Amino acid sequence: MSKALRWSERWFRFGLWLVALAFGSFLIGLGGNIVENLPRVETALTLENFLDPAAAGKLRAEIDTAQQARQAAQDALDQAELKLNVARADAATARDTFANWLATRRATERPEQDRELIARTAQLDALKAAERKALAAVQAQQQVLLDQQQAEARAQSALGELRAAAAERYHDEMRSQELRVFGYRLALTLPLLGVAGWLFAKQRKSTWWPFVWGFIYFALFAFFVELVPYIPSYGGWIRYSVGIVLTVLVGRYAILALNRYLERQKQAEALPDVERRKELSYDVALARLGKKVCPGCERSVDLSNTAIDYCPHCGICLFDHCTACNERKSAFARFCHACGAAAKS
Ligand SMILES: [Zn+2]
Ligand SMILES: [Zn+2]
């Protein structure tokens, strides 16, 4: 693609790049649609697929039952503890009252109160017995609660073991599925990349270049979006290796291209001035002059210095004199800007 200098040509080129982009995005859209409508080749797997449903179901039911029983035992324990507190408070109050009464009785020494002493002692014993009974009820509920907690813990740990065994099989299967999905995607993408590579090498400057570049965009998109995220990682091994291979390939291409360019340039600079001028396209020469570099060797030259008529680097003629009016003019201009005479070619 030479540098266009004509105003309309520039706009045409810009429009054609838009055509390339649009062509590429429509291809991407169509490709996405096709991939979406392909039959699903792999089912989505979960850990559940690898659990023995009967064993896991039995353990889950056990855990459920144990949890409910534990909750019931906890409620009963709360109630029993409340009752124990009441019984303790009753007994403590009765004990205090009895002690006071006993002190009064010793002070007054009234023998007719012996019967009451017996009754009060019996009452106190009954309260102590009630307290003891409430304590026994609390202890019984604590035992029930502990039993249920242990049963639940046992079922949980059995389920945990079952899940750990299933997880291993699940990860193995996921890995091989990942590999298969990558294989399908590679089989779809690789031909596209091959065609794109061939188009880039052979057709990128052809008349139909907007379509060529559109297709190259499409292939690059397919590679980076549809393939790269599906490269199995294996702890980064494959991804880094693919990255290294790609970098080496691109780097090799760039290095060879640079060497070819330098070689071509060296050969061109060795040719006589007239022939070099013929090889340079008019538009390229003007574009390079516009960037204040020598059209022949692309090194920078002070074009405003009227003493410089030849490139000090490669010796190509930059300015000459009109054959008709002897005005100093650009050696690349086709006509004299002062008299309009055609330049000798
Ligand atoms: Zn030069
Ligand atoms: Zn002239």
Side-chain angles (χ1 to χ4, degrees):
M1 281 154 283
S2 60
K3 304 282 175 292
L5 281 185
R6 293 186 183 93
W7 191 83
S8 302
E9 191 184 349
R10 256 190 229 182
W11 279 104
F12 269 122
R13 285 200 171 273
F14 179 68
L16 285 175
W17 276 111
L18 289 185
V19 169
L21 268 180
F23 184 60
S25 16
F26 285 128
L27 280 178
I28 288 166
L30 183 67
N33 252 5
I34 290 173
V35 168
E36 216 160 83
N37 287 318
L38 283 179
R40 292 263 155 246
V41 278
E42 298 287 346
T43 50
L45 292 173
T46 62
L47 190 60
E48 277 309 301
N49 297 100
F50 295 88
L51 273 179
D52 176 6
K58 190 168 152 273
L59 284 172
R60 287 210 178 99
E62 266 174 40
I63 291 171
D64 260 11
T65 320
Q67 272 173 346
Q68 277 165 12
R70 185 167 57 80
Q71 190 56 48
Q74 183 66 55
D75 291 348
L77 179 63
D78 290 347
Q79 289 286 344
E81 273 172 348
L82 206 64
K83 279 183 190 143
L84 174 63
N85 284 342
V86 172
R88 269 187 183 146
D90 285 353
T93 315
R95 211 167 34 243
D96 288 351
T97 321
F98 181 65
N100 288 342
W101 180 83
L102 212 56
T104 322
R105 183 180 168 275
R106 274 200 202 101
T108 54
E109 292 283 346
R110 288 161 64 183
E112 71 271 18
Q113 286 179 331
D114 282 353
R115 192 181 302 226
E116 194 180 348
L117 174 65
I118 291 164
R120 279 191 177 241
T121 310
Q123 197 189 359
L124 200 57
D125 284 346
L127 283 172
K128 280 311 269 185
E131 185 187 331
R132 178 70 221 135
K133 209 175 130 198
L135 182 62
V138 166
Q139 282 165 343
Q141 283 309 324
Q142 277 171 340
Q143 182 64 52
V144 172
L145 185 63
L146 186 65
D147 287 348
Q148 293 307 331
Q149 276 170 344
Q150 285 174 346
E152 188 187 337
R154 271 195 303 276
Q156 287 280 18
S157 97
L159 187 63
E161 273 166 33
L162 213 61
R163 289 177 77 93
E168 216 163 281
R169 288 197 302 274
Y170 170 66
H171 286 304
D172 285 351
E173 181 54 31
M174 281 300 277
R175 191 164 293 174
S176 58
Q177 190 186 53
E178 213 174 59
L179 211 59
R180 282 198 301 278
V181 168
F182 175 67
Y184 304 144
R185 288 184 172 263
L186 192 67
L188 280 176
T189 320
L190 213 53
L192 288 182
L193 282 176
V195 172
W198 180 81
L199 284 174
F200 178 76
K202 306 278 176 198
Q203 299 289 319
R204 68 178 188 273
K205 288 178 182 169
S206 76
T207 316
W208 308 105
W209 64 265
F211 298 114
V212 170
W213 280 100
F215 189 86
I216 290 172
Y217 285 153
F218 165 55
L220 284 179
F221 180 87
F223 176 71
F224 282 108
V225 176
E226 302 288 348
L227 189 66
V228 168
Y230 294 89
I231 296 177
S233 114
Y234 288 114
W237 280 90
I238 295 197
R239 269 171 213 192
Y240 289 130
S241 309
V242 169
I244 289 168
V245 169
L246 280 183
T247 316
V248 167
L249 284 180
V250 171
R252 182 177 169 275
Y253 176 82
I255 291 168
L256 289 182
L258 172 67
N259 285 344
R260 269 201 306 275
Y261 164 78
L262 289 178
E263 192 57 38
R264 249 195 342 261
Q265 206 60 25
K266 212 187 258 175
Q267 280 172 359
E269 284 172 27
L271 290 173
D273 195 88
V274 183
E275 271 187 49
R276 292 179 64 189
R277 209 168 284 283
K278 264 189 225 156
E279 301 228 323
L280 274 172
S281 103
Y282 181 64
D283 285 346
V284 169
L286 290 197
R288 287 180 183 169
L289 283 173
K291 287 178 194 150
K292 297 191 171 36
V293 295
C294 162
C297 67
E298 292 188 61
R299 296 184 182 99
S300 65
V301 183
D302 183 8
L303 295 170
S304 57
N305 185 345
T306 51
I308 294 179
D309 281 349
Y310 292 88
C311 170
H313 311 294
C314 69
I316 201 169
C317 179
L318 299 172
F319 292 94
D320 57 9
H321 293 266
C322 171
T323 44
C325 70
N326 209 33
E327 174 82 8
R328 183 175 179 268
K329 67 168 193 53
S330 168
F332 296 93
R334 286 175 180 165
F335 296 94
C336 170
H337 64 264
C339 70
K344 63 175 190 300
S345 60

